[in-house]
Amino acid sequence: MLNIIGAIISGLIIGALARFFYPGAVPMGWLSTILLGVGGSLLAGWFASRGSSDFSRAGCLASVIGAIVLIFVGRLLGLNF
């Protein structure tokens, strides 16, 4: 249960950072922000795929970059969050 809560909290933080650093306005709600952060973490983990689940600043930075990539791809596809 704590893993799910931790994923929600970290997803919210990562998604909020990605929205902050993405140029231009990114209008979306809290649930979309959480899903964006979790998706960015999964995308970064898929690219890194080292199997390590330890917390690191480099992993957080990669997660934010992954979430920014998801915003960019979503905009290219014409998705409105």
Side-chain angles (χ1 to χ4, degrees), residues 14-71:
I14 290 168
L17 285 173
R19 286 178 56 196
F20 178 75
F21 289 118
Y22 190 81
V26 183
M28 62 175 53
W30 289 103
L31 182 60
S32 297
T33 302
I34 292 170
L35 293 176
L36 174 71
V38 171
S41 294
L42 291 174
L43 182 65
W46 181 69
F47 274 112
S49 67
R50 295 185 301 186
S52 175
S53 62
D54 296 334
F55 176 79
S56 69
R57 287 181 283 198
C60 289
L61 179 62
S63 297
V64 171
I65 292 171
I68 289 172
V69 168
L70 288 178
I71 293 172

